[in-house]
């Protein structure tokens, strides 16, 4: 139990409403974890994988209708609709609470109600924030244990500070018709019903660390972002930390743990985080960042020895796999892993390539960050790491160059707000459609984007030494539909250019859309990318950018009166420069 009266009362109210058979307060201990795993092996929620080759690894098969986030069922419930903005679905908080009450009524009968106290961020960090998730899913508990600092230490902090986000979750009947993910930012509360999928059910992740935290961050003067944090150490032992926003399933995990190409002897890459970054100005005027998470919930397909060997190494033991295939000797398998042949697909059916992939395209691994060979112990640093550069990147086949530098913080905010990407399998819906995804936060910003951009712009008054902002695009294709840039570990070459630029060692050429590198300053030794391709990757086509600018203008104007004037002023400058 707990000494916190608010928590005690809330647990009582929820148990009266949901009527569980038992209540279990999670401590996070190994013994508790073992018992949960044993219970799930009995019910079939967990399937034991080969314990010789993959000790401590288990497979979970989710309901086939429950394999991704559900943006069309995800709501921001603020008292005023305008506060949620055109970027969110909105529901009146009273109506949402009434609907959720009906769904939650009696839903835990015969089940155990787990109380999960958790801390997002290092347990002793002033930048961290705590929450309590109530759930009836032991799968959620096992995942939260890997993804957050969960259990007794978190409860102790909550009791000391008296502050926590309330998250209520039930898998319900896993009925897509009875599924909602509701956020009540004004009450610092989340309610999620009817889904067991990570982004909908592990409430510490998208619901708390992005949607609720972004709202809190605005009120308190910090930033909660959908960004990886990576440290790049040069052979002289100097490390620069870069925060990078990329839409879901666009390679954040790969970039966060990349292995530099052979030409980069003496360079090291340190992983601080692969998905979420909380930043605030430090006393030195720089932005300091923590990764609120403690684990990776990574996309499995495409993770292989050539794309992400560090992730592959991380998941050899003590990992949870969701919706992957299985080989004849009971090892987890997904497309892109290796040359093994799966025998069972993600639904537990005999694998038949004619029917579909062995692993669901959004199948996942969950693993503690500490298992990663490139894990940075700075992930536990009380005040985080200082950020040297912010990088925005979309998935664009055409137009957008490999890398460019914003002209100023304000122009960088415009670059972030203009981000667009082709959709991926991380959300239910069509794949490959271009949509605007400002700062990669479209599904995750807990309030009106217009106010969010105003908040970003306000940082010129909050911090005296803001990091420069860059935009990258790893996904350009040529006329034959082939990727023009090798990506993965070779993205190091672009990060090196960014760092050299910050240090004043290389210049960029000012253009209407931003500072462009000289192609020869990007190290391509050992690559078969020729000069013509490099030039094409860095080319600026004014007419195409004028068309793009008009689309950006139309998108931004959709935010109406609340859109900060500065955004249009920045866009006008770009357009004027493009015309000359
Ligand atoms: C994720 C996502 O799971 O962005 O990280 O969907
Ligand atoms: Mn993500």
């Amino acid at each position: 139990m707990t000494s916190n009266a608010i928590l005690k009362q809330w647990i009582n109210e929820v148990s009266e409403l949901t009527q569980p058979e038992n209540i279990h307060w999670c401590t996070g201990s190994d013994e508790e974890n073992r018992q949960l795993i044993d219970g799930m092996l009995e019910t079939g929620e967990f399937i034991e994988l080969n314990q010789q080759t993959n000790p401590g690894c288990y497979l979970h098969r989710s309901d086939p209708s429950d394999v991704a986030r559900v943006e069309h069922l995800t709501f921001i419930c603020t008292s005023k609709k305008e506060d949620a903005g055109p970027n969110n679905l909105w529901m009146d908080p009273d109506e949402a609470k009434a609907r959720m009450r009906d769904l939650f009524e009696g839903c835990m009968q015969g089940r155990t109600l787990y109380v999960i106290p958790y801390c997002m961020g290092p347990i002793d960090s002033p930048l961290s924030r705590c929450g309590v998730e109530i759930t009836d899913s032991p799968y959620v508990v096992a995942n939260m244990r890997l993804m957050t600092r969960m259990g007794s230490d978190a409860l102790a902090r909550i009791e000391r500070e008296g502050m926590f986000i309330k998250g209520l979750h039930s898998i319900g009947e896993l009925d897509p018709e009875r599924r909602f993910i509701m956020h009540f930012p004004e009450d610092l509360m989340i309610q999620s019903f009817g889904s067991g999928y990570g982004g909908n059910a592990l409430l510490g992740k998208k619901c708390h660390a992005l949607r609720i935290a972004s709202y809190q961050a605005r009120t308190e003067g910090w930033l909660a972002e959908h960004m990886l944090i990576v440290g790049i150490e040069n052979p002289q032992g100097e490390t620069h930390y870069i925060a990078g926003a990329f839409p879901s399933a666009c390679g954040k995990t790969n970039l966060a743990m990349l292995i530099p190409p052979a030409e980069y002897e003496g360079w090291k890459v340190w992983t601080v985080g692969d998905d979420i970054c909380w930043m605030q100005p430090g006393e030195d005027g720089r932005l300091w960042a923590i990764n609120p998470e403690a684990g990776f919930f990574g996309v499995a397909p495409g993770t292989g020895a050539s794309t992400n060997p560090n992730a592959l190494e991380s998941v050899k033991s003590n990992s949870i796999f969701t919706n992957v295939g299985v080989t004849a000797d009971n090892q987890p398998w997904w497309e892109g892993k290796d040359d093994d042949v799966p025998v069972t697909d993600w639904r537990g059916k005999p694998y038949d390539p004619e029917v579909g992939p062995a692993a669901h395209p959004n199948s996942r691994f969950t693993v503690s960050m500490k298992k990663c060979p490139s894990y940075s112990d700075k992930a536990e640093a009380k005040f985080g790491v200082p950020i040297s550069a912010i990088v925005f990147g979309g998935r664009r086949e055409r137009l957008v160059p490999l890398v460019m530098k914003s002209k100023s913080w304000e122009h960088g905010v415009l670059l972030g707000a203009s981000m667009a990407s082709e959709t991926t399998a991380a959300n239910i819906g069509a794949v490959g459609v271009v949509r605007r995804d400002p700062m990669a936060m479209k599904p995750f910003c807990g309030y009106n984007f217009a106010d969010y951009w105003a908040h970003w712009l306000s940082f010129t008054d909050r911090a005296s030494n803001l990091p420069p902002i860059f935009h990258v695009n790893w996904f350009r294709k040529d006329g034959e539909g082939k990727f023009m840039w090798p990506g993965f570990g070779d993205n190091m070459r672009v990060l090196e250019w960014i760092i050299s630029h910050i240090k004043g060692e290389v210049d960029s050429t000012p253009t209407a859309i931003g500072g462009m590198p000289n192609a020869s300053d990007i190290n391509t030794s050992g690559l078969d990318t020729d000069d013509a391709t490099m030039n094409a990757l860095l080319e600026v086509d004014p007419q195409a950018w004028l068309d793009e600018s008009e689309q950006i203008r139309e998108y931004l104007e959709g935010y109406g009166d609340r859109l900060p004037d500065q955004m249009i002023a920045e866009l006008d400058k770009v357009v004027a420069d493009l015309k000359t």
Side-chain angles (χ1 to χ4, degrees):
M1 272 292 247
T2 177
S3 59
N4 182 295
I6 297 174
L7 177 56
K8 211 186 287 180
Q9 189 192 335
W10 178 54
I11 302 295
N12 285 341
E13 281 165 16
V14 170
S15 71
E16 241 164 70
L17 174 69
T18 59
Q19 296 168 24
E21 190 167 306
N22 303 300
I23 296 183
H24 177 90
W25 286 73
C26 299
T27 63
S29 73
D30 291 345
E31 193 190 328
E32 173 185 80
N33 191 44
R34 187 67 256 165
Q35 282 169 6
L36 279 168
I37 291 171
D38 288 345
M40 284 192 279
L41 288 172
E42 246 167 65
T43 58
E45 282 160 283
F46 262 13
I47 296 163
E48 192 167 71
L49 291 164
N50 187 327
Q51 296 299 297
Q52 263 76 52
T53 53
N54 301 72
C57 288
Y58 301 92
L59 167 65
H60 172 76
R61 291 197 182 110
S62 63
D63 189 282
S65 73
D66 187 31
V67 289
R69 286 183 289 99
V70 282
E71 288 166 27
H72 61 295
L73 301 173
T74 299
F75 290 80
I76 299 294
C77 311
T78 40
S79 12
K80 291 198 208 111
K81 185 172 182 188
E82 314 83 81
D83 290 343
N87 45 308
N88 283 302
L89 292 181
W90 174 86
M91 198 182 289
D92 173 76
D94 291 337
E95 185 191 335
K97 283 177 196 166
R99 275 203 196 201
M100 295 308 274
R101 220 186 146 72
D102 284 351
L103 292 173
F104 279 114
E105 196 159 10
C107 72
M108 294 191 191
Q109 279 170 22
R111 297 182 186 169
T112 297
L113 177 160
Y114 298 94
V115 182
I116 312 173
Y118 63 87
C119 178
M120 298 312 290
I123 199 87
D124 63 346
S125 170
L127 282 71
S128 301
R129 296 287 184 278
C130 289
V132 175
E133 174 166 358
I134 297 178
T135 181
D136 52 8
S137 162
Y139 166 80
V140 166
V141 181
N143 276 275
M144 286 291 283
R145 182 169 183 271
L146 295 171
M147 294 303 297
T148 71
R149 283 87 173 165
M150 175 267 250
S152 309
D153 290 352
L155 183 60
R157 179 166 170 165
I158 289 168
E159 288 176 343
R160 229 176 21 250
E161 293 181 343
M163 258 298 292
F164 66 98
I165 306 290
K166 289 178 183 164
L168 172 55
H169 168 252
S170 169
I171 54 172
E173 312 85 36
L174 296 173
D175 174 358
E177 301 298 317
R178 288 165 52 83
R179 182 174 291 162
F180 280 113
I181 324 296
M182 301 285 194
H183 301 76
F184 304 90
E186 291 153 356
D187 301 326
L188 301 181
M189 185 169 87
I190 305 153
Q191 295 191 351
S192 166
F193 189 91
S195 168
Y197 171 74
N200 305 325
L202 312 180
L203 301 186
K205 194 173 181 59
K206 304 300 187 182
C207 301
H208 176 167
L210 288 176
R211 298 196 190 96
I212 297 288
S214 59
Y215 183 96
Q216 251 183 322
R218 179 186 174 213
T219 332
E220 298 173 9
W222 47 285
L223 291 166
E225 299 301 323
H226 191 203
M227 289 179 177
L228 64 93
I229 309 169
V230 65
I232 308 288
E233 183 179 333
N234 65 18
Q236 293 74 48
E238 187 188 20
T239 305
H240 287 87
Y241 293 93
I242 296 179
F246 296 79
S248 306
C250 283
K252 282 204 298 300
T253 305
N254 295 342
L255 188 63
M257 45 183 90
L258 71 78
I259 298 211
E263 289 74 23
Y264 282 76
E265 220 187 302
W267 290 76
K268 290 193 193 116
V269 170
W270 298 107
T271 310
V272 181
D274 81 324
D275 195 42
I276 303 180
C277 165
W278 287 357
M279 292 186 277
Q280 54 180 277
E283 276 167 18
D284 59 0
R286 292 190 287 177
L287 289 184
W288 287 73
I290 59 163
N291 169 15
E293 301 192 283
F296 307 122
F297 183 65
V299 178
T303 306
S306 63
T307 59
N308 194 339
N310 278 330
L312 214 51
E313 183 62 32
S314 313
V315 302
K316 274 195 174 148
S317 61
N318 299 324
S319 305
I320 301 170
F321 295 92
T322 303
N323 295 334
V324 298
V326 180
T327 62
D329 65 346
N330 202 23
Q331 294 195 45
W333 195 88
W334 49 84
E335 279 66 22
K337 185 181 178 215
D338 52 33
D339 296 335
D340 235 335
V341 182
V343 293
T344 311
D345 74 9
W346 63 277
R347 291 160 312 165
K349 304 249 166 60
Y351 170 58
D352 176 357
E354 300 286 306
V355 173
H360 185 276
N362 193 35
S363 55
R364 300 279 176 150
F365 53 77
T366 320
V367 65
S368 159
M369 274 188 62
K370 292 192 172 152
K371 298 281 310 301
C372 184
S374 58
Y375 167 75
S376 165
D377 60 7
K378 291 282 189 297
E380 288 296 335
K382 188 167 175 182
F383 298 103
V385 293
I387 295 299
S388 297
I390 290 177
V391 174
F392 292 123
R395 176 188 282 270
R396 297 294 297 267
E397 286 187 15
R398 282 178 290 280
L399 183 73
V400 181
L402 179 62
V403 54
M404 59 184 169
K405 183 183 177 238
S406 68
K407 302 179 233 177
S408 61
W409 179 262
E410 292 84 346
H411 177 241
V413 175
L414 174 68
L415 282 184
S418 317
M419 264 172 74
S421 209
E422 288 128 28
T423 49
T424 68
N427 174 53
I428 281 179
V431 171
V433 179
V434 171
R435 73 166 183 180
R436 296 277 153 206
D437 191 355
M439 280 82 168
M441 285 287 278
K442 167 70 186 72
F444 306 121
C445 183
Y447 61 104
N448 190 322
F449 259 153
D451 300 338
Y452 170 77
W453 298 320
H455 182 51
W456 264 83
L457 290 168
S458 76
F459 275 76
T460 49
D461 297 329
R462 294 177 194 273
S464 56
N465 197 2
L466 287 165
I469 297 177
F470 295 80
H471 192 290
V472 300
N473 177 23
W474 316 135
F475 300 97
R476 275 288 285 280
K477 287 189 176 167
D478 63 16
E480 280 150 27
K482 284 211 217 76
F483 284 112
M484 293 163 72
W485 178 249
F488 301 105
D490 288 309
N491 292 334
M492 176 72 190
R493 299 168 190 273
V494 174
L495 299 186
E496 188 208 357
W497 179 82
I498 288 175
I499 292 168
S500 304
H501 192 279
I502 297 167
K503 291 169 72 179
E505 291 168 359
V506 295
D507 277 345
S508 57
T509 307
T511 74
I513 60 167
M516 304 302 298
N518 303 313
S520 58
D521 287 335
I522 297 181
N523 178 357
T524 52
S525 77
L527 284 187
D528 55 13
T529 312
D530 57 22
D531 289 354
T533 307
M534 281 312 289
N535 288 335
L537 281 167
L538 296 171
E539 154 198 275
V540 181
D541 174 347
Q543 188 50 51
W545 274 101
L546 277 171
D547 294 346
E548 172 83 359
S549 301
E550 279 325 296
Q551 287 167 31
I552 293 169
R553 183 184 303 277
E554 207 177 294
Y555 175 72
L556 294 178
E557 284 178 354
Y559 287 84
D561 290 348
R562 271 166 105 128
L563 181 72
D565 294 341
Q566 231 168 333
M567 300 291 285
I568 294 296
E570 284 300 324
L571 185 63
D572 284 344
K573 272 194 244 166
V574 172
V575 170
D577 287 351
L578 282 166
K579 283 183 175 158
T580 52

